[in-house]
């Protein structure tokens, strides 16, 4: 079963506010609550699905990540390897709004592991390359304005080493633990430390260049290699080149470059093969010809059209497609023959063709036989 879109699950639009989300969650959670639907497995699943959607969308960082990556977050399942397990929320909590703190424990602070996440956000950049680069690979670069570690304080966020103190409230853990009674359950909740906003550090002497953020937005030139034969939509990861944590400390997230391959003027790609259509006049099809075209790999490609070719025939030029996986040579170029018909004929040409009709036209008396034969023909016609 495919996973449903979180916004769809909550029946809200993508730009709905936090208050809208909360309202939608409350309504749906009440409707599908196990207390109201005893022994209804379907409602139970829906209840879980609604919880998961709300857990992600009510967390600003998770919502951003979901809006960017959908269900395929580059960091893996946001709930850890086990996926979302569901939480116990009583009807009382749904009425009183007591469910807020149940959900705030999920991320904020490193998910279910209970350890503070000391990693910044991942960043995704989309990058276009032409078909030639996709086939041959090579060095590439792009420019982007990104959050990077502040040069002045080297990400410390304070002007001097003495300006960073360990937070006393959480002893530098960035998190505080609370026990909460939810219906019949006692739930131990770990939330971000309100004193240090989860960083575990108090900055008494903020760096003036980054105003105590430990990071700054800067134009960056990012260089990277494109492997030969790359597929459209491939995401390349650059570890540690994502966003540093706000407030300093920890390590930056990862940077992902998603490669988009631009359309070629005449080729279409099918895995390691290339497809193209070649328009030819009736004389070329009838008599055969050899066509030379510039090719993506830098060397001209020559296509030998045998005499007696028919529109719809395909020709194969072996070994001139994209590199195959694991070094198993290259794919092929498939050429589909088309008939080129001039839109206008001069009187003189028309006359010549009329003269040829008896020779190369069809015999209208035997049209039924021809149609029958055509139906039996093994030739592929597109
Ligand atoms: Zn700084
Ligand atoms: Zn703290």
């Amino acid at each position: 079963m495919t996973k449903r879109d979180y916004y769809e699950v909550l029946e809200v639009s993508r730009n709905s506010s936090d208050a809208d989300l909360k309202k939608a969650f409350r309504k749906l959670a009440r409707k599908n609550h196990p207390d109201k639907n005893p022994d209804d497995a379907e409602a139970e699943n829906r209840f879980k699905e609604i919880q998961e959607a709300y857990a992600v969308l009510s967390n600003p960082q998770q919502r951003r990540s979901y809006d960017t990556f959908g269900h395929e977050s580059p960091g893996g399942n946001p709930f850890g390897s086990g996926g979302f397990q569901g939480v116990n929320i009583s009807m009382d909590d749904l009425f009183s709004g007591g469910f807020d703190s149940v959900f705030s424990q999920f991320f904020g602070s490193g998910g279910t592991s209970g350890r503070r996440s000391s990693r910044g956000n991942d960043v995704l950049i989309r990058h276009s390359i032409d078909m030639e680069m996709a086939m041959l690979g090579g060095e590439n670069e792009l420019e982007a304005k990104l959050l990077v570690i502040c040069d002045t304080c080297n990400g410390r966020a304070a002007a001097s080493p003495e300006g960073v103190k360990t937070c006393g409230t959480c002893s530098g853990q960035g998190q505080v633990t609370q026990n909460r009674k939810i219906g019949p359950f006692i739930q131990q909740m770990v939330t971000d430390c309100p004193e240090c906003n989860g960083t575990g550090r108090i900055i008494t002497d903020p760096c003036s260049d980054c105003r105590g953020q430990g990071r700054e937005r800067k134009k960056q030139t990012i260089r990277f290699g494109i492997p030969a034969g790359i597929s459209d939509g491939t995401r390349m990861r650059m570890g540690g080149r994502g966003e540093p944590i706000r407030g300093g400390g920890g390590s930056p997230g990862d940077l992902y470059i998603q490669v988009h391959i631009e359309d070629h003027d005449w080729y279409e790609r099918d895995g390691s093969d290339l497809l193209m259509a070649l328009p030819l006049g009736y004389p070329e099809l009838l008599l055969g010809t050899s066509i030379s075209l510039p090719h993506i790999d830098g060397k001209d490609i020559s296509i030998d059209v045998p005499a007696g070719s028919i529109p719809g025939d395909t020709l194969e030029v072996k070994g001139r497609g994209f590199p195959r996986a694991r070094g198993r040579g290259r794919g092929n170029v498939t050429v589909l023959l088309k008939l080129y018909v001039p839109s206008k004929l001069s009187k003189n040409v028309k006359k010549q063709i009329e003269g040829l009709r008896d020779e190369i036209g069809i015999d209208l008396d035997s049209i039924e036989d021809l149609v029958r034969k055509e139906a039996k023909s093994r030739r592929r016609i597109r």
Side-chain angles (χ1 to χ4, degrees), residues 149-159 206-216:
I149 284 171
C150 169
D151 265 347
T152 313
C153 63
N154 201 18
R156 187 175 49 214
C207 163
S208 54
D209 280 358
C210 62
R211 297 182 311 281
Q213 301 289 300
R215 61 183 192 177
E216 56 188 337

Side-chain angles (χ1 to χ4, degrees), residues 9-29:
V9 169
L10 291 180
E11 298 169 13
V12 290
S13 70
R14 300 193 83 79
N15 48 23
S16 55
S17 68
D18 288 351
D20 292 341
L21 281 174
K22 200 179 207 171
K23 220 171 115 190
F25 168 74
R26 228 170 166 169
K27 195 183 103 199
L28 290 167

Side-chain angles (χ1 to χ4, degrees), residues 127-142 222-231 236 238 257 259 261 296 322-323:
H127 179 65
S128 291
I129 58 172
D130 58 20
M131 198 77 106
E132 193 176 349
M133 175 61 74
M135 180 187 266
L136 306 174
E139 291 302 310
N140 242 245
E141 63 175 54
L142 61 84
I222 297 150
R223 293 187 179 82
F224 50 96
I226 298 276
I230 194 168
S231 305
M236 299 187 296
M238 301 179 87
I257 297 170
V259 173
I261 303 172
I296 305 173
F322 268 64

Side-chain angles (χ1 to χ4, degrees), residues 15 42 47 56 87 106 132 171 179 192 207 230 249 268 271 285 288-289 306 316 364 371:
N15 48 23
E42 228 170 88
F47 188 54
V56 168
V87 283
F106 274 115
E132 193 176 349
S171 317
N179 286 328
D192 269 6
C207 163
I230 194 168
E268 210 176 293
L285 289 168
T289 184
E316 208 88 50
L364 290 175
V371 173

Side-chain angles (χ1 to χ4, degrees), residues 116 166-176 192-202:
R116 191 177 97 78
T166 301
C167 173
T169 309
C170 62
S171 317
Q173 295 301 300
Q175 292 185 323
V176 285
D192 269 6
C193 170
E195 193 63 32
C196 60
N197 287 322
T199 63
R201 312 153 84 240
I202 301 285

